[in-house]
Amino acid sequence: MSTTRRTRQLAASAVAAALGVTALAGCGSSDDSASGSGGTKGSGSKTVTLVSHDSFNASKDVLKEFTKETGYTVKVLKSGDAGVALNQEILTKGSPRGDVFFGVDNTLLSRALDSGLFTPYEAKGIDRVAADTRLDADGHRVTPIDTGDICVNYDKKYFADKKLAPPQSFDDLAKPAYKDLLVTENAGTSSPGLGFLLGTIATYGEKGYQDYWKKLESNGVKVVDGWEQAYNEEFSGSAGGKKAKADRPLVVSYASSPPVEVLYAKPQPAKAPTGVATGTCFRQIEFAGLLKGAKNEAGGKALLDFLISKRFQEDMPLNMFVNPVAKDAKLPELFTRFGATVDRPTTVAPDLIAKNREQWVQSWSSLVVK
Amino acid sequence: MAVPVAFFALFFAYPVAAIVGRGLKADGVWQFGRIGEVLTRPDIRDVLWFTSWQALASTALTLLIALPGAYVFARFDFPGKQLLRAVVTVPFVLPTVVVGTAFLALLGRGGFLDELWGVRLDTTVWAILLAHVFFNYAVVVRTVGGLWAQLDPRQEEAARVLGAGRFAAWRRVTLPALAPAVAAAALMVFLFTFTSFGVVQILGGPGYSTLEVEIYRQTAQLLALPTAAVLTLVQFAAVGAILAVHAWTVRRRETALKLVDPARTARRPRGAGQWALLCGVLLTVLLLILLPLGVLVERSVDTAGGHGFDFYRALASVDAGGGTFLVAPLEAIWNSLQYALVATVIALVIGGLAAAALTRRAGRLVRGFDALLMLPLGVSAVTVGFGFLITLDKPPLDLRTSWILVPLAQALVGVPFVVRTMLPVLRAVDGRLREAAAVLGASPLRAWREVDLPLVRRALLVAAGFAFAVSLGEFGATVFIARPDRPTLPVAVARLLGRAGELNYGQAMALSTILMVVCAVSLLLLERIRTDRSGEF
């Protein structure tokens, strides 16, 4: 009857619309396929694809320079935070979306290496890279690219007003003078939160860290889920925190956060509004590696060489707020003037982290998160 | 029906089944014992319990607060009504990180309530419940109000003339007609709050965890696919059960309704009671929705040198982000609009076809399909995203790095809205009208154009508005797939908030404000289109 014909009519218009969408898809992706399909042609390819997390950044000039030197154009694919991005690579192992993966850090390194994600490659110029960052020096499956320190930051104004010395060490944080001042992130969902927990484990050992956290707990530590809330909502020293009338002058953040506060303030202040408690730092090292099954292996190798070149290493600090690993790379003035020097950061071996991570986080949760 | 079935099979069922299968299989053998293992864990049981009761409480509270609003928007005429209707939908599309910020400003320390009465609600369950009302107010107002406005008030008047009291007339005439829409709205609110992610994370703190948060953690952080797979199945089962109950209630109550032009049903309020109701609703909207949004706007102009538009100016330049983006953040607006437009078209086509098929046919199979269409709302973005990665990885369907994946993922969430909004109206169209047209010599096409289309057009626009809004604000799936040179607005906001510094924070607030305005303007335009043409019938 009429109803069936009506359905057919609807179906016809739907097909037409769907075709329209496909046509749209066609023109939208034309620029993409021009560069993307180049990757499938193997040795003749002019595109090299870098898969990374959301924090990856490089200035345009530097990427252009790479193209000029090698003839390869870099296509960047970002997908979520560091853990998510790595897990996506593990899931697509053998049929990767790109050629090089950047952004696996020492807390996740064992997971990446155990899953056989990377093809070994010794990057040119690796001898210029600080030895203590080369955690896979024999296997060459990953190349260290940068380091960053997770440390407690403090609100300078708060401590000046109270005429109180800011804390310097993990021990200090548990003292009554700093009661109800610290906010940190959930170690189960946030990488600075996990880094801070690992820092306490490195300091007090696998037995002592639980006692330490009991002390922190009774000293009024506040735990929120992510860095954004901790830093922008709870920390009184940050720009966001000031607007939110935040009341916690201590936060777990990065050693590079004070220079960032200076760079993105208008007008730029003569001194950073925040400082770093340098005795509370946990060192993160970030690595990159050539993905197994990469369509453009030659390009990937050239990109790895470039990532530890002086040019790229010096570009990195102001784009990602991390420290270079190449010994010949100079830090920008912003870092030397406003940043903190962390002499003896804590660290935990990657295989130890891989083995105990879940259990550590779980016992931490039962102590602090109720 | 073939088109929507194929779409869902390819872009939903297959990826999700693949990722769940990966979690439940070891060396090619199904490990169903894992289900029992996971479900007996006390921490998982806590999560399940909290997820369920907060969703129930949130839904009840939302209905309580929003139903009077639905009535007022449907039946009363007042200046600024269209604008207000667009504005209450805005929360729906804002990134939860941003909304959390705004809400904390009101409920947290030094907030509105704190200064007035010394009441602080942050990290209590009240903050979660109120934020859920804030997010879902529009779902009730639009779904219920959309139908309410088209019910002929004369039917109720007729009942009263025949001697029924005011309440009895409402209960016997209006309530049965509205029930499917109320049920649909309640269902959607329940689904959203049951699968709540951002709100619970920000306002509840780490002490509260929903099933969705746990699935994300297990998948994205721990790569514990077995646990994630079990939890996904549990969420499936729960959503399936809710849908089954819903389908049952709806079937019992659906009847052909006499629909009229909404412009004829709304009038100025009369009498003290109606004015009080109107004022009450306006006050609720002001406190609950406009105030948090206002906080965002205020922060976006609150620069170091007093109030100004510095953050907005910074959005236009590539450098101000310090290389946060390869393009100026402002371009994200254009990206978002393009993605959302394509997603809306896909959602309307797929959802429209599905709704039409569901109206025309009956039977268990079709009803099962009805429920299936709603499932994307109950499945976490991370599951779908990871599923995409392991299934759409071979040519010709290696879409993993293609931009079309973004609108496809957004459309998945949009389709249920289209179906839910269209279905009650389509089913309510009196078949006899169509037959009458046919008897009078109209071709089927003409009958459809003259009878169905005018009655359905409003629902279609409401549905389009929803699909568009959902796509604009979609974050979970987009963040996995959006390319760095083409960030969407929510992705750009999240990246800015992920950095220290005043300029970044200010730009995030400015961009959120723009997202707010873009959404409000888009919805307003949709409403305009409707009123311009409503004179035709």
Side-chain angles (χ1 to χ4, degrees), chain B residues 253-315:
Chain B
R253 290 192 186 148
E254 251 165 34
T255 39
L257 299 172
K258 191 162 174 266
L259 297 182
V260 296
D261 176 9
R264 289 213 318 255
T265 64
R267 54 166 66 110
R268 299 214 145 240
R270 283 174 306 198
Q274 295 196 343
W275 277 107
L277 183 64
L278 176 63
C279 290
V281 165
L282 291 181
L283 194 70
T284 313
V285 169
L286 179 78
L287 285 178
L288 206 70
I289 296 174
L290 295 184
L291 215 56
L293 295 180
V295 169
L296 280 187
V297 179
E298 200 273 331
R299 286 193 184 174
S300 74
V301 293
D302 183 16
T303 65
H307 286 126
F309 290 99
D310 294 13
F311 298 137
Y312 289 87
R313 273 193 288 275
L315 286 176

Side-chain angles (χ1 to χ4, degrees), chain B residues 495-518:
Chain B
R495 281 192 197 153
L496 285 166
L497 276 178
R499 283 211 165 166
E502 185 190 4
L503 200 55
N504 289 325
Y505 184 84
Q507 285 191 83
M509 294 301 135
L511 216 48
S512 302
T513 307
I514 291 176
L515 176 60
M516 215 156 89
V517 173
V518 168

